[in-house]
Amino acid sequence: MEGRIRSLPDAAAAAMALAVAIVFLFSAAAPLASAESVEHTFVVSQTKMTRLCKETLVTVVNGQLPGPTIEVTDGDSVTVHVVNRSPSNITIHWHGVKQFRNGWFDGVPMITQCPIMPNKNFTYRFNVVRQEGTLWWHAHVPGLRATLHGAFVIRPRHGAESYPFPKPHREVPVIIGDWWEKDLVEVAKNMTKNIFTAYASASTVNGLVGDLFNCSGVAKEGYVLDVEPGKTYLLRIINAGLFSEFYLKIAGHKFTVVAADANYVSPFTTDVIAIAPGETVDALLIADAPPGRYYMVALPNQAPLPDTQTPEYATRGMVQYKVSQGPCSGPTSVSSSRGTEEEGCRGPSSGDVPIVPEMPDIHDTVTSFYFHSNLTSLRHHARLPVQRRVDERMFIVLGLGTICKQGHKFCKRGNSNEDILVATMNNVSFQPPAVTSTPLLEAHYYHTGPCGKMQDLPKMPPKLFNFTDEALIPFGPKEMRLEPTYKATLVRRFQHGAIVEIVFQSTAMLQGDSNPMHLHGHDMVVLAQGLGNYDPVKDGARYNHVNPPVKNTVLVPNLGWIAVRFVANNPGVWFMHCHYEFHLSMGMAAVFIVEDGPTMDTSLPPPPANFPTCGHDIDLMPKISTSILRKVKPS
């Protein structure tokens, strides 16, 4: 392919489709790679790292930011020993891993397990089955996801030759995140108390703040991706940020998007990628520009006025061309997140002026809407037909509201000091179970505890109004009548095999944000999305039943809606929540319980042997030798 990546004409598209079909026919005939057991040890501890000319104490895994990349092949089993040497309770969530009939290791505190207390250990064990692509892992405790995270890469069992796109020269994780100088645990606690005064100090690419944050007068090194002319690179892009959707661009280059949330999509060409917290995007980058240096810029976006404006920081890394002086063929495995120089290659001279891309406006939310609208499922052998039958429909309205302090039933609303701002689903804010109680999955399995007494997540909001009326964003008499809400541990039960359709509606209630909604244990088919208020007649008629994208995290547009469908076929207790940390901490969440099916293979098995109860002294992992711990000792 000559020049930069362009949209394919019809003939070329047909040729590529034929090539893809041949690849799948060939791979189907190839023998399967034998499944392996992949084992890691994660030592969670606090260590000091220097960014912005300041030393900050951060909580990390194995002394790394981002944490270790887990690489597996479809069909492998995974064992991760977590040793908690931090002062905080910890759990690790394997974001997007299906965990079929294995919710015990989904990693949500008090939903699926007791948290791993300081100086305790826990071992996660799960299989990766019928999944390919980029996922990630992260802490599922308030705030600490910002520094406790890493890539989770699943390769096809037939090898890279079976990718439904040209085999890349190299695969590179690109993790966009935040740098916080504040105590993240304290930040999360404050958000539940109506205190919103702390913000990230910078944005990062693979843990580095980049040269926009030049605090010392000396140019700061950011993330550098070394490329060779004509080579193709698979960027495995992850948004690990707490608060912001990001736009990602590389000056002088275009991307071919090939997957999202570990599901292949019909390839399309774009010069900008929009990625919300929790989402992953796989994109091919061809090094087809003149040799030189090109900035890779990650820009957070936010809703425009009258929405509340908060500090948002762009960051940038660098794509740098190597000039070949000999063999420069690099490995096909995931590279170091910092990039490496390969022997026999050199980059451009330091005097070259890097090219800067033209970025969208920070308040441009339409670019995000169109990016996500471009996603369609790649029609290949692994694609499942869209279920036309619907057993249960839900219309879930997402917004903010207030509750009275100290449990009072009545109080002054509208930015008073008598109420607390909370996030809601259908006007109810999620109340997490107390750490002293029994995790909901255990209570569900043994039919004990509070599961049968918790409140159902309503299928509809209690009031219908103009959800996207921007007059509801500022405090005032119009929104005050809609503010009152309450907290409850929200649960929705589904019969095994039920086909569930949900329309998520973003609102203007005290904010105009988008909402990245993540469902644990399942993928969702995205039928349609739109701006404004959902119209069941007009919008339902344009559902995509042919090639809708499949996601585990869907972005509900700013002042818009999205319609999804999923099959409740994974028995257990699963968290559904917004992936903005402030919305999650404020209560935009619910629990979905999928009942057992009629057979052993469709039912939740008992907890593993010695699965600890809260406060139990037994560590669910073998004793780890001092030599192993020394290898992963934080630097």
Side-chain angles (χ1 to χ4, degrees):
M1 185 180 295
E2 296 181 357
R4 298 177 186 168
I5 307 170
R6 293 181 173 87
S7 299
L8 296 173
D10 292 344
M16 177 170 277
L18 177 60
V20 169
I22 291 172
V23 166
F24 278 114
L25 286 173
F26 174 80
S27 65
L32 296 181
S34 58
E36 296 183 358
S37 178
V38 177
E39 187 167 358
H40 287 261
T41 296
F42 281 10
V43 178
V44 180
S45 66
Q46 290 189 315
T47 188
K48 290 183 178 180
M49 292 186 172
T50 301
R51 303 285 189 276
L52 308 178
C53 299
K54 181 180 178 181
E55 203 172 52
T56 302
L57 191 65
V58 295
T59 305
V60 291
V61 167
N62 296 355
Q64 301 172 227
L65 180 65
T69 293
I70 294 182
E71 300 182 52
V72 303
T73 298
D74 178 25
D76 285 353
S77 61
V78 180
T79 300
V80 181
H81 308 293
V82 177
V83 182
N84 186 9
R85 289 181 169 172
S86 81
S88 302
N89 290 345
I90 297 294
T91 64
I92 302 294
H93 171 55
W94 315 96
H95 186 112
V97 176
K98 295 290 183 58
Q99 300 286 11
F100 185 69
R101 299 178 62 240
N102 194 45
W104 303 105
F105 295 114
D106 192 46
V108 187
M110 303 315 300
I111 305 298
T112 62
Q113 70 170 95
C114 304
I116 310 167
M117 294 183 294
N119 300 313
K120 295 294 181 180
N121 308 323
F122 185 86
T123 293
Y124 291 92
R125 304 180 191 277
F126 53 92
N127 298 324
V128 178
V129 182
R130 292 189 296 277
Q131 291 188 270
E132 299 175 13
T134 304
L135 297 172
W136 62 303
W137 59 264
H138 61 80
H140 217 298
V141 292
L144 291 179
R145 167 165 58 88
T147 56
L148 288 170
H149 62 252
F152 192 104
V153 176
I154 309 171
R155 291 200 170 77
R157 62 179 63 188
H158 298 290
E161 289 75 13
S162 68
Y163 286 143
F165 47 80
K167 180 181 176 181
H169 170 64
R170 211 166 106 211
E171 303 178 11
V172 184
V174 176
I175 303 180
I176 303 169
D178 310 315
W179 179 255
W180 289 79
E181 296 179 313
K182 305 288 186 180
D183 183 327
L184 286 163
V185 175
E186 192 67 24
V187 169
K189 287 180 181 177
N190 285 340
M191 286 189 293
T192 67
K193 301 175 183 176
N194 230 21
I195 302 173
F196 303 94
T197 56
Y199 304 99
S201 301
S203 299
T204 60
V205 175
N206 287 337
L208 302 174
V209 298
D211 63 1
L212 285 175
F213 304 93
N214 189 357
C215 56
S216 64
V218 178
K220 296 296 178 183
E221 179 186 359
Y223 169 68
V224 177
L225 171 62
D226 290 312
V227 300
E228 299 175 49
K231 299 291 188 180
T232 299
Y233 298 82
L234 177 62
L235 306 185
R236 298 184 177 274
I237 306 164
I238 300 165
N239 185 345
L242 297 188
F243 287 179
S244 299
E245 180 185 16
F246 279 85
Y247 289 132
L248 181 71
K249 293 186 77 171
I250 298 175
H253 295 76
K254 291 190 176 182
F255 306 98
T256 297
V257 177
V258 295
D261 288 1
N263 288 284
Y264 294 120
V265 301
S266 301
F268 69 92
T269 303
T270 178
D271 67 346
V272 60
I273 286 173
I275 184 167
E279 290 188 305
T280 70
V281 174
D282 289 359
L284 297 176
L285 172 73
I286 297 180
D288 56 3
R293 295 190 295 164
Y294 299 84
Y295 273 122
M296 171 193 293
V297 177
L299 172 76
N301 70 20
Q302 64 176 307
L305 290 170
D307 209 78
T308 301
Q309 302 298 293
T310 58
E312 306 283 357
Y313 300 102
T315 189
R316 62 190 185 189
M318 188 79 69
V319 171
Q320 176 175 278
Y321 277 71
K322 296 178 180 178
V323 179
S324 178
Q325 293 181 326
C328 291
S329 57
T332 57
S333 64
V334 172
S335 70
S336 163
S337 61
R338 290 180 177 269
T340 56
E341 282 293 336
E342 294 170 3
E343 188 175 355
C345 300
R346 63 178 176 84
S349 69
S350 59
D352 293 341
V353 177
I355 300 174
V356 182
E358 183 178 347
M359 299 301 292
D361 185 83
I362 194 171
H363 293 130
D364 175 4
T365 59
V366 175
T367 295
S368 168
F369 177 78
Y370 284 118
F371 176 88
H372 288 91
S373 296
N374 276 336
L375 297 174
T376 57
S377 179
L378 181 65
R379 304 180 69 180
H380 63 81
H381 74 296
R383 189 178 69 86
L384 299 176
V386 179
Q387 298 286 348
R388 293 296 190 107
R389 186 187 90 240
V390 176
D391 299 308
E392 183 158 359
R393 299 180 192 273
M394 302 185 71
F395 182 61
I396 298 180
V397 171
L398 310 170
L400 301 184
T402 57
I403 59 173
C404 297
K405 291 182 178 180
Q406 299 176 338
H408 294 163
K409 189 172 182 180
F410 300 102
C411 59
K412 184 179 179 181
R413 311 279 177 171
N415 200 24
S416 79
N417 60 1
E418 298 179 14
D419 60 7
I420 296 175
L421 196 65
V422 295
T424 63
M425 297 173 63
N426 282 349
N427 203 46
V428 187
S429 183
F430 185 75
Q431 176 67 56
V435 177
T436 55
S437 64
T438 301
L440 298 187
L441 181 60
E442 183 181 341
H444 166 70
Y445 181 81
Y446 290 113
H447 304 288
T448 60
C451 271
K453 303 174 183 178
M454 293 184 297
Q455 179 173 317
D456 281 350
L457 170 66
K459 295 175 66 172
M460 294 283 292
K463 296 179 181 179
L464 297 178
F465 55 96
N466 180 4
F467 302 115
T468 57
D469 180 1
E470 293 187 20
L472 298 174
I473 294 177
F475 286 106
K478 193 167 188 178
E479 58 77 27
M480 283 175 60
R481 63 185 179 86
L482 299 169
E483 271 189 42
T485 182
Y486 60 96
K487 297 183 75 68
T489 306
L490 292 172
V491 169
R492 193 77 198 179
R493 293 179 179 272
F494 301 106
Q495 293 295 315
H496 189 277
I499 298 167
V500 182
E501 181 175 307
I502 301 177
V503 175
F504 291 107
Q505 173 75 60
S506 291
T507 72
M509 272 299 299
L510 299 174
Q511 47 94 63
D513 276 322
S514 58
N515 296 274
M517 302 302 295
H518 173 50
L519 174 59
H520 292 218
H522 299 78
D523 275 345
M524 298 173 280
V525 170
V526 180
L527 299 170
Q529 60 179 327
L531 301 176
N533 296 318
Y534 174 75
D535 183 325
V537 176
K538 180 186 70 175
D539 296 322
R542 62 185 186 89
Y543 280 6
N544 178 4
H545 290 104
V546 178
N547 60 346
V550 180
K551 303 286 300 305
N552 62 62
T553 304
V554 297
L555 184 66
V556 190
N558 297 70
L559 302 181
W561 56 270
I562 194 167
V564 302
R565 199 172 287 171
F566 72 95
V567 182
N569 58 2
N570 194 357
V573 175
W574 306 104
F575 210 27
M576 160 67 86
H577 63 92
C578 182
H579 228 273
Y580 287 139
E581 191 71 13
F582 61 106
H583 280 171
L584 174 57
S585 295
M586 295 166 65
M588 192 175 286
V591 169
F592 286 179
I593 297 179
V594 178
E595 303 287 1
D596 286 345
T599 66
M600 291 288 290
D601 289 340
T602 57
S603 299
L604 178 69
N610 296 326
F611 198 78
T613 56
C614 293
H616 204 285
D617 290 333
I618 295 176
D619 292 335
L620 186 61
M621 62 177 290
K623 295 298 180 184
I624 299 178
S625 68
T626 304
S627 61
I628 293 177
L629 289 177
R630 190 178 298 119
K631 291 179 183 179
V632 296
K633 185 178 179 180
S635 57

